[in-house]
Amino acid sequence: MNDLNSGLGKQGSDYGKNDPRPKRTVEYSQTECTHVVLYDSINDSNRLFGGRLVSWIDVCAGACAMRHTGLRMTTASIDNLTFKRGAYLGDIVVLIARMTYVGRTSCEVRVDSYVEDQEGFRREMNRAFLTYVAIAKDGSTVPIPYGLDVQTEAEKARWDGALLRREYRLSRKDVGF
């Protein structure tokens, strides 16, 4: 891997501990976005149009990545976009974005999307993983100045998952897609 982080390897991940950059926690950049499903967001089945949800996910994840890095970020990929339940006209949709991994010039953000009922109970409707790349005004990549302070076992598991998804993305690139 051409990165600051050692990856999984035989000894397991170092979770960014050997990364010399100052670190920010997952909570530092966690972002929550809330939307009400209105007429302009539904399809002919009165359900939330999937493309609208993807747009909301990208905006929420992008804000999380920018909060963490303090830089301009651009979407490089969206992995594992799985629709588990629909949202309907008048429903409240809540998206929560969290950093899972930070590399040299790219990072991964996980976004969990929920439908919230009138009592405030949230039911998961979607999970997505997005990769962002830090860019300068001219569009060239730039180093991310902050690493990720991985603290909990759940954060370690998300980091390891991010490394596996990264390896898979790189292997797909080798075969032409």
Side-chain angles (χ1 to χ4, degrees):
M1 279 188 186
N2 182 13
D3 210 330
L4 292 171
N5 305 297
S6 63
L8 293 171
K10 292 182 181 177
Q11 300 300 316
S13 177
D14 70 352
Y15 306 108
K17 287 185 176 57
N18 293 320
D19 185 346
R21 300 174 290 185
K23 294 181 180 56
R24 290 181 168 168
T25 64
V26 171
E27 290 78 23
Y28 179 88
S29 57
Q30 181 172 307
T31 303
E32 185 171 310
C33 303
T34 306
H35 302 273
V36 176
V37 180
L38 301 173
Y39 284 104
D40 65 343
S41 298
I42 60 172
N43 60 25
D44 62 351
S45 301
N46 286 331
R47 297 178 91 164
L48 176 62
F49 175 56
R52 179 70 61 156
L53 180 60
V54 173
S55 174
W56 290 346
I57 288 169
D58 192 18
V59 169
C60 191
C64 179
M66 288 188 295
R67 278 180 164 175
H68 181 86
T69 64
L71 300 170
R72 290 175 179 255
M73 304 298 288
T74 190
T75 311
S77 70
I78 299 176
D79 287 339
N80 194 31
L81 188 65
T82 304
F83 295 91
K84 297 179 180 182
R85 106 176 45 248
Y88 298 87
L89 185 63
D91 282 347
I92 296 172
V93 176
V94 179
L95 298 92
I96 300 173
R98 296 177 183 92
M99 299 298 297
T100 58
Y101 171 81
V102 177
R104 190 177 64 79
T105 60
S106 66
C107 62
E108 185 188 79
V109 180
R110 170 180 159 171
V111 180
D112 293 301
S113 305
Y114 303 91
V115 176
E116 185 177 282
D117 65 22
Q118 292 179 348
E119 289 79 39
F121 185 78
R122 295 177 178 177
R123 290 179 176 79
E124 187 174 33
M125 63 181 291
N126 192 289
R127 175 170 296 154
F129 296 92
L130 297 89
T131 302
Y132 288 87
V133 175
I135 57 170
K137 287 185 180 182
D138 66 2
S140 62
T141 59
V142 296
I144 295 172
Y146 303 100
L148 187 63
D149 183 7
V150 178
Q151 298 177 340
T152 69
E153 290 303 312
E155 290 170 0
K156 289 177 181 179
R158 290 180 193 126
W159 177 281
D160 286 340
L163 290 175
L164 290 172
R165 283 185 294 279
R166 182 176 184 274
E167 287 178 20
Y168 183 63
R169 276 192 307 278
L170 292 173
S171 72
R172 285 191 324 237
K173 188 176 172 183
D174 292 339
V175 296
F177 71 94

